[in-house]
Amino acid sequence: MRTRQGIGPSQKWDLIVIGGGIVGCSTAFYAARLGLRVLIVERDTPGSGQSGRNLGFVRQQGRDFRELPLAIAALRLWNDLEEDLGRKVGWLRGGNVVLAANDRETARQADWQSKAKDFGLDTILLTSAQTREKLPFLSDKASLCGAMFTASDGRAEPGRTTRAFFEAAVELGVSVILGAHVTQLELQAGNVHGVWVNDKLYRADRVLCSAGTGSGKLLRGVGYNLPQERIRATVARTLPAPGLTLTSCISLPFTGLRQDEKGAFIFSVAGGEYDVRFDSWRYLHHYRETRRANPDAARVNYFGPILRFMSSRIASPIADIAPSSEGARPAHYRVRQAQDELRQFVPQLAELAIEAVWAGVIDALPDVVPVMGHVYERPGLLLATGFSGHGFGLGPMAGKIMAGLAAGHSASVDISGLSPSRFSHLSVTARLASPAG
Ligand SMILES: Cc1cc2nc3c(=O)[nH]c(=O)nc-3n(C[C@H](O)[C@H](O)[C@H](O)COP(=O)(O)OP(=O)(O)OC[C@H]3O[C@@H](n4cnc5c(N)ncnc54)[C@H](O)[C@@H]3O)c2cc1C
């Protein structure tokens, strides 16, 4: 465990943040700006979880309407982020294109776009000819009905953005414990009073749980039963292709694709692997509807427990991806699936040499939107977790809102549809007693 000088369990913090992903680090940054004394506890290093492993899409397009106001506010924040943080994060506002390969998809896009107009969004529908004009490298053979396009969307470099928030937070005086798990939240008379790191108690009257896949277990310890699950998703990066330029993020029917600053292409097939665990039965019934609505979202892998044992030994390191104790192994067949689709739509990209393949574990909730806000049954406990595979773009604004809530302000954006209270009926009341007595 590495701690910054001067941190001692006897000290009291205004806010303890569990997890050094984009949500935790941005919350810490904005909270420090509001004058709060903040401590981040991260089990590995900042950005080692999903926040350093994702595709880097920053989009409003296609969002669930419960989180669209948050996504719109986030985009405004992204536009000034590099200046605000004093660091480059690879931000490029190049738009987001989602292809429609059939009439059913075109109708779905038209429906979403007409509703999004009420939010003032610049999303437009493109005909097939307009789509080809926008993306001249699309294969003539690709079956295409049109596309949806949002010019104000963009992309950024995930690991760099998370580290930028982390460094800027530390510059503002945020304290940090790295390489150590929060093992338990401390309750006194039903109120949150701090966190246990190994056998030491760190005290604060407000604690934010933004621990990604680690959140569910911690919350069960204080009687809040968040039905959180994990999907292992795979990403591939090609060698730089200097002759090709792509400013937009693109979604083919199954594959998401963008170019990075060095000219390499980064892509991922939608969905991932659901690795069966010994306690997989726990939330199975909550996901029946989710699985019906998103049949391609996850393939069940019954060898999960074995894979977990192998992962920590086999997952190979990649220079710019922070290692995680989760040791998630990429599923190489997903890369081949993506390349097959690229061959149909953008053949030049399918043949580019792959430089790196990695995996990240998505923290999913049954209704596929995050929980954000106070847990009123547990005064002092704040949640921002369960971003269900699309929290990178939302992350900075989610952090700004959580910092405000921690400081006693109300949310500047409507997040009522993301309230933790939508799951509080699941709470295991028998466990409501304080773990520390
Ligand atoms: C392959 C992939 C592609 C994606 N693509 C996109 C995309 O293009 N656009 C987009 O918007 N989103 C995308 N996402 C989703 C996005 O990455 C996440 O929603 C977002 O990063 C969540 O941030 P977070 O801070 O909540 O969680 P994380 O980044 O997972 O951070 C949580 C942190 O908590 C730490 N932690 C866990 N338990 C404990 C504990 N007990 N004590 C201390 N620390 C703990 C972990 O080590 C981790 O660093 C993608 C995700 C994946 C995996």
Side-chain angles (χ1 to χ4, degrees), residues 18-23 41-43 48-51 53-57 180-182 210-212 214 218 233 235 360 362 387 389-393:
I18 312 172
I22 191 156
V23 176
V41 186
E42 161 56 50
R43 70 178 170 197
S48 56
Q50 302 162 83
S51 298
R53 294 166 176 268
N54 63 67
L55 261 188
F57 284 27
H181 280 74
V182 170
S210 51
L218 286 171
V235 180
I362 289 172
F387 282 82
H390 44 264
F392 175 64

PDB file of all heavy atoms in Angstrom, residues 18-23 41-43 48-51 53-57 180-182 210-212 214 218 233 235 360 362 387 389-393, ligand 1:
ATOM      1  N   ILE A  18     -14.169   6.228  -3.130  1.00  0.00           N
ATOM      2  CA  ILE A  18     -13.670   4.864  -3.345  1.00  0.00           C
ATOM      3  C   ILE A  18     -13.594   4.619  -4.839  1.00  0.00           C
ATOM      4  O   ILE A  18     -14.618   4.608  -5.531  1.00  0.00           O
ATOM      5  CB  ILE A  18     -14.593   3.799  -2.706  1.00  0.00           C
ATOM      6  CG1 ILE A  18     -14.947   4.156  -1.264  1.00  0.00           C
ATOM      7  CG2 ILE A  18     -13.939   2.422  -2.772  1.00  0.00           C
ATOM      8  CD1 ILE A  18     -15.999   3.243  -0.642  1.00  0.00           C
ATOM      9  N   GLY A  19     -12.381   4.451  -5.349  1.00  0.00           N
ATOM     10  CA  GLY A  19     -12.184   4.159  -6.769  1.00  0.00           C
ATOM     11  C   GLY A  19     -11.581   5.331  -7.517  1.00  0.00           C
ATOM     12  O   GLY A  19     -12.109   6.445  -7.476  1.00  0.00           O
ATOM     13  N   GLY A  20     -10.470   5.056  -8.196  1.00  0.00           N
ATOM     14  CA  GLY A  20      -9.776   6.096  -8.966  1.00  0.00           C
ATOM     15  C   GLY A  20     -10.021   5.936 -10.451  1.00  0.00           C
ATOM     16  O   GLY A  20      -9.089   5.991 -11.259  1.00  0.00           O
ATOM     17  N   GLY A  21     -11.286   5.737 -10.835  1.00  0.00           N
ATOM     18  CA  GLY A  21     -11.668   5.784 -12.251  1.00  0.00           C
ATOM     19  C   GLY A  21     -12.018   7.223 -12.610  1.00  0.00           C
ATOM     20  O   GLY A  21     -11.815   8.152 -11.811  1.00  0.00           O
ATOM     21  N   ILE A  22     -12.577   7.415 -13.811  1.00  0.00           N
ATOM     22  CA  ILE A  22     -12.872   8.789 -14.236  1.00  0.00           C
ATOM     23  C   ILE A  22     -13.912   9.423 -13.318  1.00  0.00           C
ATOM     24  O   ILE A  22     -13.849  10.632 -13.028  1.00  0.00           O
ATOM     25  CB  ILE A  22     -13.300   8.856 -15.718  1.00  0.00           C
ATOM     26  CG1 ILE A  22     -13.319  10.320 -16.154  1.00  0.00           C
ATOM     27  CG2 ILE A  22     -14.655   8.181 -15.966  1.00  0.00           C
ATOM     28  CD1 ILE A  22     -13.163  10.525 -17.627  1.00  0.00           C
ATOM     29  N   VAL A  23     -14.839   8.627 -12.792  1.00  0.00           N
ATOM     30  CA  VAL A  23     -15.887   9.203 -11.938  1.00  0.00           C
ATOM     31  C   VAL A  23     -15.286   9.620 -10.591  1.00  0.00           C
ATOM     32  O   VAL A  23     -15.515  10.741 -10.116  1.00  0.00           O
ATOM     33  CB  VAL A  23     -17.056   8.196 -11.762  1.00  0.00           C
ATOM     34  CG1 VAL A  23     -18.097   8.748 -10.808  1.00  0.00           C
ATOM     35  CG2 VAL A  23     -17.681   7.876 -13.117  1.00  0.00           C
ATOM     36  N   VAL A  41      -9.302   6.473  -2.405  1.00  0.00           N
ATOM     37  CA  VAL A  41      -8.692   5.161  -2.158  1.00  0.00           C
ATOM     38  C   VAL A  41      -8.902   4.315  -3.412  1.00  0.00           C
ATOM     39  O   VAL A  41     -10.042   4.120  -3.848  1.00  0.00           O
ATOM     40  CB  VAL A  41      -9.320   4.439  -0.942  1.00  0.00           C
ATOM     41  CG1 VAL A  41      -8.545   3.152  -0.652  1.00  0.00           C
ATOM     42  CG2 VAL A  41      -9.358   5.344   0.281  1.00  0.00           C
ATOM     43  N   GLU A  42      -7.807   3.842  -3.988  1.00  0.00           N
ATOM     44  CA  GLU A  42      -7.869   3.069  -5.253  1.00  0.00           C
ATOM     45  C   GLU A  42      -7.085   1.771  -5.047  1.00  0.00           C
ATOM     46  O   GLU A  42      -5.944   1.793  -4.608  1.00  0.00           O
ATOM     47  CB  GLU A  42      -7.282   3.916  -6.386  1.00  0.00           C
ATOM     48  CG  GLU A  42      -6.853   3.164  -7.632  1.00  0.00           C
ATOM     49  CD  GLU A  42      -7.943   2.316  -8.291  1.00  0.00           C
ATOM     50  OE1 GLU A  42      -9.048   2.819  -8.521  1.00  0.00           O
ATOM     51  OE2 GLU A  42      -7.660   1.121  -8.549  1.00  0.00           O
ATOM     52  N   ARG A  43      -7.699   0.645  -5.413  1.00  0.00           N
ATOM     53  CA  ARG A  43      -7.046  -0.645  -5.138  1.00  0.00           C
ATOM     54  C   ARG A  43      -5.832  -0.900  -6.030  1.00  0.00           C
ATOM     55  O   ARG A  43      -4.924  -1.631  -5.661  1.00  0.00           O
ATOM     56  CB  ARG A  43      -8.041  -1.791  -5.291  1.00  0.00           C
ATOM     57  CG  ARG A  43      -8.459  -2.057  -6.700  1.00  0.00           C
ATOM     58  CD  ARG A  43      -9.415  -3.223  -6.819  1.00  0.00           C
ATOM     59  NE  ARG A  43      -9.942  -3.253  -8.172  1.00  0.00           N
ATOM     60  CZ  ARG A  43     -11.004  -3.912  -8.550  1.00  0.00           C
ATOM     61  NH1 ARG A  43     -11.692  -4.613  -7.674  1.00  0.00           N
ATOM     62  NH2 ARG A  43     -11.411  -3.899  -9.787  1.00  0.00           N
ATOM     63  N   SER A  48      -6.933   2.197 -13.949  1.00  0.00           N
ATOM     64  CA  SER A  48      -6.631   0.781 -14.210  1.00  0.00           C
ATOM     65  C   SER A  48      -7.904  -0.019 -14.493  1.00  0.00           C
ATOM     66  O   SER A  48      -7.840  -1.109 -15.046  1.00  0.00           O
ATOM     67  CB  SER A  48      -5.885   0.169 -13.017  1.00  0.00           C
ATOM     68  OG  SER A  48      -6.655   0.357 -11.839  1.00  0.00           O
ATOM     69  N   GLY A  49      -9.049   0.507 -14.111  1.00  0.00           N
ATOM     70  CA  GLY A  49     -10.328  -0.169 -14.382  1.00  0.00           C
ATOM     71  C   GLY A  49     -10.845   0.216 -15.771  1.00  0.00           C
ATOM     72  O   GLY A  49     -10.063   0.469 -16.702  1.00  0.00           O
ATOM     73  N   GLN A  50     -12.160   0.284 -15.892  1.00  0.00           N
ATOM     74  CA  GLN A  50     -12.771   0.566 -17.199  1.00  0.00           C
ATOM     75  C   GLN A  50     -12.295   1.898 -17.789  1.00  0.00           C
ATOM     76  O   GLN A  50     -12.179   2.050 -19.004  1.00  0.00           O
ATOM     77  CB  GLN A  50     -14.292   0.661 -17.051  1.00  0.00           C
ATOM     78  CG  GLN A  50     -14.941  -0.579 -16.469  1.00  0.00           C
ATOM     79  CD  GLN A  50     -16.320  -0.243 -15.964  1.00  0.00           C
ATOM     80  OE1 GLN A  50     -17.265  -0.211 -16.748  1.00  0.00           O
ATOM     81  NE2 GLN A  50     -16.476   0.009 -14.674  1.00  0.00           N
ATOM     82  N   SER A  51     -12.014   2.866 -16.897  1.00  0.00           N
ATOM     83  CA  SER A  51     -11.735   4.230 -17.374  1.00  0.00           C
ATOM     84  C   SER A  51     -10.464   4.332 -18.194  1.00  0.00           C
ATOM     85  O   SER A  51     -10.296   5.293 -18.952  1.00  0.00           O
ATOM     86  CB  SER A  51     -11.667   5.198 -16.186  1.00  0.00           C
ATOM     87  OG  SER A  51     -12.910   5.217 -15.537  1.00  0.00           O
ATOM     88  N   ARG A  53      -9.523   1.702 -20.168  1.00  0.00           N
ATOM     89  CA  ARG A  53      -9.578   0.560 -21.095  1.00  0.00           C
ATOM     90  C   ARG A  53     -10.679   0.686 -22.128  1.00  0.00           C
ATOM     91  O   ARG A  53     -10.913  -0.234 -22.894  1.00  0.00           O
ATOM     92  CB  ARG A  53      -9.839  -0.723 -20.288  1.00  0.00           C
ATOM     93  CG  ARG A  53      -8.714  -1.052 -19.397  1.00  0.00           C
ATOM     94  CD  ARG A  53      -8.999  -2.077 -18.337  1.00  0.00           C
ATOM     95  NE  ARG A  53      -7.750  -2.304 -17.662  1.00  0.00           N
ATOM     96  CZ  ARG A  53      -6.873  -3.229 -17.983  1.00  0.00           C
ATOM     97  NH1 ARG A  53      -7.162  -4.091 -18.915  1.00  0.00           N
ATOM     98  NH2 ARG A  53      -5.714  -3.319 -17.365  1.00  0.00           N
ATOM     99  N   ASN A  54     -11.402   1.803 -22.114  1.00  0.00           N
ATOM    100  CA  ASN A  54     -12.590   1.863 -22.981  1.00  0.00           C
ATOM    101  C   ASN A  54     -12.250   2.386 -24.378  1.00  0.00           C
ATOM    102  O   ASN A  54     -11.104   2.700 -24.684  1.00  0.00           O
ATOM    103  CB  ASN A  54     -13.695   2.682 -22.299  1.00  0.00           C
ATOM    104  CG  ASN A  54     -13.303   4.107 -22.080  1.00  0.00           C
ATOM    105  OD1 ASN A  54     -13.141   4.866 -23.024  1.00  0.00           O
ATOM    106  ND2 ASN A  54     -13.100   4.489 -20.824  1.00  0.00           N
ATOM    107  N   LEU A  55     -13.280   2.525 -25.192  1.00  0.00           N
ATOM    108  CA  LEU A  55     -13.092   2.913 -26.599  1.00  0.00           C
ATOM    109  C   LEU A  55     -12.833   4.405 -26.780  1.00  0.00           C
ATOM    110  O   LEU A  55     -12.333   4.823 -27.805  1.00  0.00           O
ATOM    111  CB  LEU A  55     -14.361   2.572 -27.384  1.00  0.00           C
ATOM    112  CG  LEU A  55     -14.417   1.294 -28.200  1.00  0.00           C
ATOM    113  CD1 LEU A  55     -15.702   1.287 -29.034  1.00  0.00           C
ATOM    114  CD2 LEU A  55     -13.232   1.192 -29.147  1.00  0.00           C
ATOM    115  N   GLY A  56     -13.270   5.193 -25.811  1.00  0.00           N
ATOM    116  CA  GLY A  56     -13.037   6.636 -25.897  1.00  0.00           C
ATOM    117  C   GLY A  56     -14.121   7.414 -26.626  1.00  0.00           C
ATOM    118  O   GLY A  56     -13.924   8.577 -26.985  1.00  0.00           O
ATOM    119  N   PHE A  57     -15.297   6.816 -26.843  1.00  0.00           N
ATOM    120  CA  PHE A  57     -16.424   7.563 -27.437  1.00  0.00           C
ATOM    121  C   PHE A  57     -16.990   8.512 -26.372  1.00  0.00           C
ATOM    122  O   PHE A  57     -17.200   8.097 -25.229  1.00  0.00           O
ATOM    123  CB  PHE A  57     -17.565   6.625 -27.840  1.00  0.00           C
ATOM    124  CG  PHE A  57     -17.356   5.834 -29.100  1.00  0.00           C
ATOM    125  CD1 PHE A  57     -16.090   5.503 -29.557  1.00  0.00           C
ATOM    126  CD2 PHE A  57     -18.447   5.396 -29.843  1.00  0.00           C
ATOM    127  CE1 PHE A  57     -15.914   4.757 -30.722  1.00  0.00           C
ATOM    128  CE2 PHE A  57     -18.288   4.647 -31.005  1.00  0.00           C
ATOM    129  CZ  PHE A  57     -17.018   4.323 -31.446  1.00  0.00           C
ATOM    130  N   ALA A 180      -4.516  -0.253  -2.455  1.00  0.00           N
ATOM    131  CA  ALA A 180      -5.158  -0.791  -1.246  1.00  0.00           C
ATOM    132  C   ALA A 180      -6.672  -0.795  -1.421  1.00  0.00           C
ATOM    133  O   ALA A 180      -7.253   0.194  -1.877  1.00  0.00           O
ATOM    134  CB  ALA A 180      -4.792   0.062  -0.046  1.00  0.00           C
ATOM    135  N   HIS A 181      -7.277  -1.911  -1.060  1.00  0.00           N
ATOM    136  CA  HIS A 181      -8.733  -2.037  -1.171  1.00  0.00           C
ATOM    137  C   HIS A 181      -9.435  -1.377  -0.003  1.00  0.00           C
ATOM    138  O   HIS A 181      -8.979  -1.514   1.131  1.00  0.00           O
ATOM    139  CB  HIS A 181      -9.147  -3.510  -1.060  1.00  0.00           C
ATOM    140  CG  HIS A 181      -8.975  -4.289  -2.298  1.00  0.00           C
ATOM    141  ND1 HIS A 181      -7.754  -4.690  -2.767  1.00  0.00           N
ATOM    142  CD2 HIS A 181      -9.901  -4.772  -3.166  1.00  0.00           C
ATOM    143  CE1 HIS A 181      -7.925  -5.382  -3.872  1.00  0.00           C
ATOM    144  NE2 HIS A 181      -9.216  -5.448  -4.137  1.00  0.00           N
ATOM    145  N   VAL A 182     -10.572  -0.746  -0.289  1.00  0.00           N
ATOM    146  CA  VAL A 182     -11.529  -0.494   0.792  1.00  0.00           C
ATOM    147  C   VAL A 182     -12.211  -1.840   1.027  1.00  0.00           C
ATOM    148  O   VAL A 182     -12.741  -2.447   0.098  1.00  0.00           O
ATOM    149  CB  VAL A 182     -12.580   0.565   0.376  1.00  0.00           C
ATOM    150  CG1 VAL A 182     -13.708   0.633   1.394  1.00  0.00           C
ATOM    151  CG2 VAL A 182     -11.924   1.922   0.210  1.00  0.00           C
ATOM    152  N   SER A 210     -17.643   4.885  -5.937  1.00  0.00           N
ATOM    153  CA  SER A 210     -17.494   4.939  -7.405  1.00  0.00           C
ATOM    154  C   SER A 210     -16.452   3.891  -7.775  1.00  0.00           C
ATOM    155  O   SER A 210     -15.477   4.184  -8.448  1.00  0.00           O
ATOM    156  CB  SER A 210     -17.066   6.343  -7.847  1.00  0.00           C
ATOM    157  OG  SER A 210     -15.932   6.784  -7.117  1.00  0.00           O
ATOM    158  N   ALA A 211     -16.701   2.675  -7.288  1.00  0.00           N
ATOM    159  CA  ALA A 211     -15.703   1.605  -7.386  1.00  0.00           C
ATOM    160  C   ALA A 211     -15.965   0.678  -8.568  1.00  0.00           C
ATOM    161  O   ALA A 211     -15.432  -0.431  -8.610  1.00  0.00           O
ATOM    162  CB  ALA A 211     -15.669   0.810  -6.085  1.00  0.00           C
ATOM    163  N   GLY A 212     -16.749   1.115  -9.551  1.00  0.00           N
ATOM    164  CA  GLY A 212     -16.981   0.280 -10.738  1.00  0.00           C
ATOM    165  C   GLY A 212     -17.458  -1.107 -10.332  1.00  0.00           C
ATOM    166  O   GLY A 212     -18.414  -1.251  -9.561  1.00  0.00           O
ATOM    167  N   GLY A 214     -16.318  -3.050  -8.315  1.00  0.00           N
ATOM    168  CA  GLY A 214     -16.151  -3.331  -6.877  1.00  0.00           C
ATOM    169  C   GLY A 214     -17.288  -2.770  -6.025  1.00  0.00           C
ATOM    170  O   GLY A 214     -17.358  -3.026  -4.821  1.00  0.00           O
ATOM    171  N   LEU A 218     -19.205  -3.905  -1.863  1.00  0.00           N
ATOM    172  CA  LEU A 218     -19.085  -2.948  -0.757  1.00  0.00           C
ATOM    173  C   LEU A 218     -20.461  -2.507  -0.259  1.00  0.00           C
ATOM    174  O   LEU A 218     -20.696  -2.371   0.938  1.00  0.00           O
ATOM    175  CB  LEU A 218     -18.300  -1.715  -1.208  1.00  0.00           C
ATOM    176  CG  LEU A 218     -16.788  -1.888  -1.379  1.00  0.00           C
ATOM    177  CD1 LEU A 218     -16.187  -0.651  -2.026  1.00  0.00           C
ATOM    178  CD2 LEU A 218     -16.137  -2.162  -0.027  1.00  0.00           C
ATOM    179  N   ALA A 233     -15.429  -7.041 -21.788  1.00  0.00           N
ATOM    180  CA  ALA A 233     -15.460  -6.557 -23.176  1.00  0.00           C
ATOM    181  C   ALA A 233     -14.031  -6.450 -23.713  1.00  0.00           C
ATOM    182  O   ALA A 233     -13.104  -6.138 -22.971  1.00  0.00           O
ATOM    183  CB  ALA A 233     -16.155  -5.204 -23.242  1.00  0.00           C
ATOM    184  N   VAL A 235     -11.172  -5.026 -26.626  1.00  0.00           N
ATOM    185  CA  VAL A 235     -10.840  -3.903 -27.507  1.00  0.00           C
ATOM    186  C   VAL A 235      -9.545  -4.228 -28.250  1.00  0.00           C
ATOM    187  O   VAL A 235      -8.646  -4.840 -27.679  1.00  0.00           O
ATOM    188  CB  VAL A 235     -10.620  -2.607 -26.681  1.00  0.00           C
ATOM    189  CG1 VAL A 235     -10.283  -1.426 -27.578  1.00  0.00           C
ATOM    190  CG2 VAL A 235     -11.848  -2.277 -25.840  1.00  0.00           C
ATOM    191  N   GLY A 360     -11.657  -5.080 -20.658  1.00  0.00           N
ATOM    192  CA  GLY A 360     -12.071  -4.321 -19.480  1.00  0.00           C
ATOM    193  C   GLY A 360     -13.376  -4.926 -19.001  1.00  0.00           C
ATOM    194  O   GLY A 360     -14.120  -5.499 -19.792  1.00  0.00           O
ATOM    195  N   ILE A 362     -17.003  -4.375 -17.645  1.00  0.00           N
ATOM    196  CA  ILE A 362     -18.070  -3.377 -17.554  1.00  0.00           C
ATOM    197  C   ILE A 362     -18.931  -3.663 -16.325  1.00  0.00           C
ATOM    198  O   ILE A 362     -19.295  -4.816 -16.085  1.00  0.00           O
ATOM    199  CB  ILE A 362     -18.929  -3.421 -18.833  1.00  0.00           C
ATOM    200  CG1 ILE A 362     -18.129  -2.849 -20.011  1.00  0.00           C
ATOM    201  CG2 ILE A 362     -20.259  -2.703 -18.652  1.00  0.00           C
ATOM    202  CD1 ILE A 362     -18.798  -3.020 -21.371  1.00  0.00           C
ATOM    203  N   PHE A 387     -22.261   2.325 -14.559  1.00  0.00           N
ATOM    204  CA  PHE A 387     -22.424   3.120 -15.787  1.00  0.00           C
ATOM    205  C   PHE A 387     -22.684   2.256 -17.026  1.00  0.00           C
ATOM    206  O   PHE A 387     -22.868   2.773 -18.128  1.00  0.00           O
ATOM    207  CB  PHE A 387     -21.241   4.078 -15.968  1.00  0.00           C
ATOM    208  CG  PHE A 387     -21.355   5.302 -15.089  1.00  0.00           C
ATOM    209  CD1 PHE A 387     -20.973   5.262 -13.757  1.00  0.00           C
ATOM    210  CD2 PHE A 387     -21.904   6.478 -15.574  1.00  0.00           C
ATOM    211  CE1 PHE A 387     -21.111   6.372 -12.933  1.00  0.00           C
ATOM    212  CE2 PHE A 387     -22.043   7.602 -14.767  1.00  0.00           C
ATOM    213  CZ  PHE A 387     -21.651   7.550 -13.445  1.00  0.00           C
ATOM    214  N   GLY A 389     -21.321   0.457 -19.284  1.00  0.00           N
ATOM    215  CA  GLY A 389     -20.622   0.469 -20.575  1.00  0.00           C
ATOM    216  C   GLY A 389     -20.626   1.791 -21.297  1.00  0.00           C
ATOM    217  O   GLY A 389     -20.193   1.873 -22.443  1.00  0.00           O
ATOM    218  N   HIS A 390     -21.100   2.883 -20.645  1.00  0.00           N
ATOM    219  CA  HIS A 390     -21.051   4.170 -21.348  1.00  0.00           C
ATOM    220  C   HIS A 390     -20.784   5.332 -20.397  1.00  0.00           C
ATOM    221  O   HIS A 390     -21.308   6.420 -20.576  1.00  0.00           O
ATOM    222  CB  HIS A 390     -22.314   4.393 -22.174  1.00  0.00           C
ATOM    223  CG  HIS A 390     -23.577   4.038 -21.464  1.00  0.00           C
ATOM    224  ND1 HIS A 390     -24.208   2.833 -21.609  1.00  0.00           N
ATOM    225  CD2 HIS A 390     -24.305   4.721 -20.581  1.00  0.00           C
ATOM    226  CE1 HIS A 390     -25.273   2.800 -20.852  1.00  0.00           C
ATOM    227  NE2 HIS A 390     -25.355   3.936 -20.208  1.00  0.00           N
ATOM    228  N   GLY A 391     -19.929   5.097 -19.408  1.00  0.00           N
ATOM    229  CA  GLY A 391     -19.675   6.131 -18.405  1.00  0.00           C
ATOM    230  C   GLY A 391     -18.455   6.989 -18.654  1.00  0.00           C
ATOM    231  O   GLY A 391     -18.212   7.940 -17.897  1.00  0.00           O
ATOM    232  N   PHE A 392     -17.675   6.693 -19.708  1.00  0.00           N
ATOM    233  CA  PHE A 392     -16.488   7.525 -19.928  1.00  0.00           C
ATOM    234  C   PHE A 392     -16.902   8.938 -20.342  1.00  0.00           C
ATOM    235  O   PHE A 392     -16.460   9.927 -19.769  1.00  0.00           O
ATOM    236  CB  PHE A 392     -15.578   6.876 -20.983  1.00  0.00           C
ATOM    237  CG  PHE A 392     -14.404   7.726 -21.349  1.00  0.00           C
ATOM    238  CD1 PHE A 392     -13.440   8.030 -20.405  1.00  0.00           C
ATOM    239  CD2 PHE A 392     -14.261   8.252 -22.636  1.00  0.00           C
ATOM    240  CE1 PHE A 392     -12.348   8.845 -20.734  1.00  0.00           C
ATOM    241  CE2 PHE A 392     -13.191   9.057 -22.973  1.00  0.00           C
ATOM    242  CZ  PHE A 392     -12.231   9.348 -22.022  1.00  0.00           C
ATOM    243  N   GLY A 393     -17.779   9.001 -21.330  1.00  0.00           N
ATOM    244  CA  GLY A 393     -18.236  10.318 -21.784  1.00  0.00           C
ATOM    245  C   GLY A 393     -18.975  11.087 -20.699  1.00  0.00           C
ATOM    246  O   GLY A 393     -18.867  12.309 -20.585  1.00  0.00           O
TER     247      GLY A 393
HETATM  248  C1  LIG B   1     -14.129  -2.235 -23.324  1.00  0.00           C
HETATM  249  C2  LIG B   1     -14.932  -1.055 -22.852  1.00  0.00           C
HETATM  250  C3  LIG B   1     -15.325  -0.085 -23.789  1.00  0.00           C
HETATM  251  C4  LIG B   1     -16.067   1.040 -23.349  1.00  0.00           C
HETATM  252  N1  LIG B   1     -16.315   2.051 -24.234  1.00  0.00           N
HETATM  253  C5  LIG B   1     -16.870   3.201 -23.788  1.00  0.00           C
HETATM  254  C6  LIG B   1     -16.983   4.318 -24.648  1.00  0.00           C
HETATM  255  O1  LIG B   1     -16.556   4.304 -25.802  1.00  0.00           O
HETATM  256  N2  LIG B   1     -17.599   5.446 -24.148  1.00  0.00           N
HETATM  257  C7  LIG B   1     -18.055   5.507 -22.886  1.00  0.00           C
HETATM  258  O2  LIG B   1     -18.633   6.542 -22.504  1.00  0.00           O
HETATM  259  N3  LIG B   1     -17.901   4.475 -22.018  1.00  0.00           N
HETATM  260  C8  LIG B   1     -17.302   3.337 -22.438  1.00  0.00           C
HETATM  261  N4  LIG B   1     -17.112   2.296 -21.580  1.00  0.00           N
HETATM  262  C9  LIG B   1     -17.592   2.412 -20.203  1.00  0.00           C
HETATM  263  C10 LIG B   1     -16.679   3.271 -19.348  1.00  0.00           C
HETATM  264  O3  LIG B   1     -15.342   2.889 -19.488  1.00  0.00           O
HETATM  265  C11 LIG B   1     -17.106   3.159 -17.868  1.00  0.00           C
HETATM  266  O4  LIG B   1     -18.507   3.326 -17.743  1.00  0.00           O
HETATM  267  C12 LIG B   1     -16.425   4.219 -17.011  1.00  0.00           C
HETATM  268  O5  LIG B   1     -15.034   4.203 -17.213  1.00  0.00           O
HETATM  269  C13 LIG B   1     -16.758   3.943 -15.535  1.00  0.00           C
HETATM  270  O6  LIG B   1     -15.929   4.733 -14.734  1.00  0.00           O
HETATM  271  P1  LIG B   1     -15.868   4.477 -13.166  1.00  0.00           P
HETATM  272  O7  LIG B   1     -14.956   5.476 -12.614  1.00  0.00           O
HETATM  273  O8  LIG B   1     -17.271   4.371 -12.665  1.00  0.00           O
HETATM  274  O9  LIG B   1     -15.306   2.974 -13.027  1.00  0.00           O
HETATM  275  P2  LIG B   1     -13.829   2.386 -13.191  1.00  0.00           P
HETATM  276  O10 LIG B   1     -13.057   3.090 -14.227  1.00  0.00           O
HETATM  277  O11 LIG B   1     -13.980   0.917 -13.360  1.00  0.00           O
HETATM  278  O12 LIG B   1     -13.147   2.739 -11.816  1.00  0.00           O
HETATM  279  C14 LIG B   1     -13.456   2.073 -10.619  1.00  0.00           C
HETATM  280  C15 LIG B   1     -12.182   1.964  -9.819  1.00  0.00           C
HETATM  281  O13 LIG B   1     -12.486   1.454  -8.540  1.00  0.00           O
HETATM  282  C16 LIG B   1     -11.420   0.650  -8.118  1.00  0.00           C
HETATM  283  N5  LIG B   1     -11.930  -0.230  -7.068  1.00  0.00           N
HETATM  284  C17 LIG B   1     -12.812  -1.252  -7.169  1.00  0.00           C
HETATM  285  N6  LIG B   1     -13.077  -1.789  -5.969  1.00  0.00           N
HETATM  286  C18 LIG B   1     -12.333  -1.095  -5.064  1.00  0.00           C
HETATM  287  C19 LIG B   1     -12.180  -1.166  -3.655  1.00  0.00           C
HETATM  288  N7  LIG B   1     -12.824  -2.079  -2.922  1.00  0.00           N
HETATM  289  N8  LIG B   1     -11.326  -0.296  -3.051  1.00  0.00           N
HETATM  290  C20 LIG B   1     -10.645   0.632  -3.781  1.00  0.00           C
HETATM  291  N9  LIG B   1     -10.762   0.744  -5.127  1.00  0.00           N
HETATM  292  C21 LIG B   1     -11.600  -0.103  -5.759  1.00  0.00           C
HETATM  293  C22 LIG B   1     -10.980  -0.076  -9.391  1.00  0.00           C
HETATM  294  O14 LIG B   1      -9.648  -0.526  -9.315  1.00  0.00           O
HETATM  295  C23 LIG B   1     -11.175   0.999 -10.447  1.00  0.00           C
HETATM  296  O15 LIG B   1      -9.992   1.706 -10.739  1.00  0.00           O
HETATM  297  C24 LIG B   1     -16.433   1.150 -21.985  1.00  0.00           C
HETATM  298  C25 LIG B   1     -16.042   0.159 -21.058  1.00  0.00           C
HETATM  299  C26 LIG B   1     -15.288  -0.916 -21.479  1.00  0.00           C
HETATM  300  C27 LIG B   1     -14.819  -1.938 -20.470  1.00  0.00           C
END
